[in-house]
Every structure is written in structure tokens, then in C-alpha cells.
Amino acid sequence: MAGPPPEVVFLHAVTRDRSDFDELRAKLDVPTLALDLPGHGDGPRTAPYVITEMARTIRLPDGPPPVLYGHSLGGCVALALAAQRPGAIRGLVLEDPPLFAFDPNREGKRAFYRGFVKLKEQMEGPFAGYDEAAWAAEVAGWGSGHGKARLLEMFGPEAVRRRGHQLATFDSRVLDGLIDLSIGAGFDPMAFLSALDVPVTLIAGDPEHSSVLAAEEVRRIDAELDIEVVQIRGEGHFVHEVLPEPCLAPVRALITTP
């Protein structure tokens, strides 16, 4: 017998999968669901990957409209989904989404995409054919995304195993659209946000600690749009991994609002 419909649905970042939200979901006392994006985990393979088309493949469960939580690329997909399907969600929480990163004239674009270019070269070169175990061995010494701490030191062997699985099941063709910006075709963040008729919270990481949103971009959103902006200090792109409460607070507020 099926359980109650989820009240919160999570969408993850690029190269990640639905397991990224296991700990965050465990802290909520309502039914939740996390989905794999196209090209990730068990998600569909729909190359070439484009945010607006990725959003069309996301099937929300039957039942009352849920709160939709998207991190990074998942935030962009969540925003596109909300814009495409009026009435499908009751609220939107976006954690450090790269809303403006697909503009070829954006300052800082080169630095933002350097990592994707390197990963693409690795996945097609020395890491080609890596299975989950090989990836886990490789990523154990990678940075955690939180200061200078390594992944293994910061989160332990289970996180390393999970990261290995995520990369082993990742379709590297997703990176093509990130590198040449085609993944953002038709994605207009300001127009999408302006058109929404549900509450929106933007959780912005610290630009001094690898947030993908520049300070002036956060100020523009705050000044021009009627959405809640939560600015995090001292933590960058993966806020929910180490500071769950600022991420959970807007979710709890949305699910308790009549």
C-alpha cells in the first residue's frame, strides 16, 4: 500500500543524485521524495541536456502540490518546472542555483566552467570506464567543497562510496551543455521568477566561499523580485551539507503555511 504523498520534493546538483538529500530529509517530519535528474543516477538519458527540457521529464507524484527544493543545477530545473506548470507546487526553495551562469557575457564564466572542462577531459581520458569502486578510490582525496578539507576527512567513507556511485552513474554528456552553455537555452531566470505565483526562497552561499551566485546577482534579485533571500556567510555552494537548518527553515515554513 502506497504511503502518503510527499510534501517536499528534492532535486540535486550536477554530478550528484537523489542520495545527496538523505540527511536533510531525515530531519523533516513529513513525507519527502528526492528525484534523480536526467543524466544522473536512475534518471533518463535525454542528451543533449537542456534545463527547460530536463524540467519536462520530472514527474511529480500525485497528491497535493509539494514544496520543491532544488540545489544548484537542480534549482534551475526546479525553477523551470515551476514556470512550466502553474499550480503544480506550493512553494520553491532554491539553494545556490547558477541562475545567471549561462549568459556568455557573464563575468567570471571562465573560472566557473574550468572544473567542468577538466572533469570532461578526465571522464573521457584517464577515468574512462571507472566503476563505482574506482571512482570512490579517486574521489577520497578530492576537496569536499568546504574549505581545504578533503572529502574523506570531512564526511567519512560512506560519503566517499556515495560520491563514487554518483560519478559512476553520471552521463558525462551533461557537461557538454554546461561547457558550451547550451544547457541554458530558453532559461530566463528573472522572467521565470517574476511570473511565479508561489512563495520563493533563495538560499545564497557566500561569494567568498565558492558560491555560484555573485554578490551583485544576489542584490539584483533582492531588489527586483518579491522573494525571500537568505544570505549565508562563511559557506559556499553546498550549504545543506554542513548548515542544514538555514535550508530547512524555509521548507518548514512553507509546509506549515495553510
Side-chain angles (χ1 to χ4, degrees):
M1 181 177 179
E7 294 194 35
V8 188
V9 175
F10 292 89
L11 299 177
H12 59 82
V14 67
T15 79
R16 304 292 182 117
D17 68 11
R18 62 184 184 272
S19 67
D20 244 35
F21 297 108
D22 286 352
E23 294 183 13
L24 208 63
R25 294 170 64 196
K27 294 179 181 294
L28 291 170
D29 56 2
V30 298
T32 64
L33 178 68
L35 301 174
D36 287 329
L37 292 178
H40 302 72
D42 295 325
R45 267 46 182 170
T46 57
Y49 295 95
V50 177
I51 288 169
T52 53
E53 295 306 313
M54 294 170 80
R56 297 184 200 282
T57 72
I58 301 297
R59 181 178 178 182
L60 296 176
D62 295 333
V67 172
L68 191 56
Y69 185 109
H71 172 226
S72 193
L73 176 62
C76 295
V77 175
L79 174 56
L81 185 158
Q84 291 168 358
R85 306 183 211 174
I89 66 169
R90 65 185 296 179
L92 188 60
V93 180
L94 306 175
E95 180 192 343
D96 209 49
L99 296 176
F100 305 102
F102 312 110
D103 178 354
N105 299 313
R106 178 183 186 265
E107 185 178 353
K109 183 188 87 65
R110 186 178 302 276
F112 181 74
Y113 289 105
R114 190 177 298 127
F116 294 141
V117 172
K118 180 179 179 180
L119 181 59
K120 179 72 174 180
E121 292 172 347
Q122 292 171 326
M123 296 189 86
E124 293 185 345
F127 302 160
Y130 267 24
D131 61 11
E132 181 176 327
W135 270 114
E138 176 63 34
V139 303
W142 284 13
S144 66
H146 304 277
K148 296 182 179 179
R150 299 299 179 186
L151 180 63
L152 179 61
E153 299 165 354
M154 186 84 180
F155 296 111
E158 176 56 27
V160 169
R161 184 210 62 76
R162 183 177 66 189
R163 193 75 184 99
H165 175 77
Q166 290 171 343
L167 286 163
T169 56
F170 173 64
D171 185 350
S172 65
R173 293 177 296 176
V174 176
L175 298 173
D176 295 335
L178 289 164
I179 292 167
D180 67 14
L181 306 182
S182 62
I183 199 169
F187 180 71
D188 188 336
M190 295 300 283
F192 288 175
L193 286 166
S194 297
L196 293 184
D197 60 356
V198 297
V200 180
T201 297
L202 173 69
I203 300 169
D206 191 331
E208 299 298 320
H209 291 79
S210 75
S211 168
V212 300
L213 283 168
E216 61 270 19
E217 294 169 344
V218 176
R219 286 194 292 269
R220 178 189 176 193
I221 291 171
D222 198 24
E224 297 183 17
L225 298 172
D226 183 23
I227 70 175
E228 180 182 5
V229 176
V230 178
Q231 180 71 71
I232 304 298
R233 298 299 179 189
E235 190 54 58
H237 188 49
F238 296 93
V239 179
H240 71 273
E241 289 186 336
V242 295
L243 295 174
E245 287 310 313
C247 301
L248 290 172
V251 173
R252 293 191 178 109
L254 287 169
I255 60 180
T256 55
T257 300

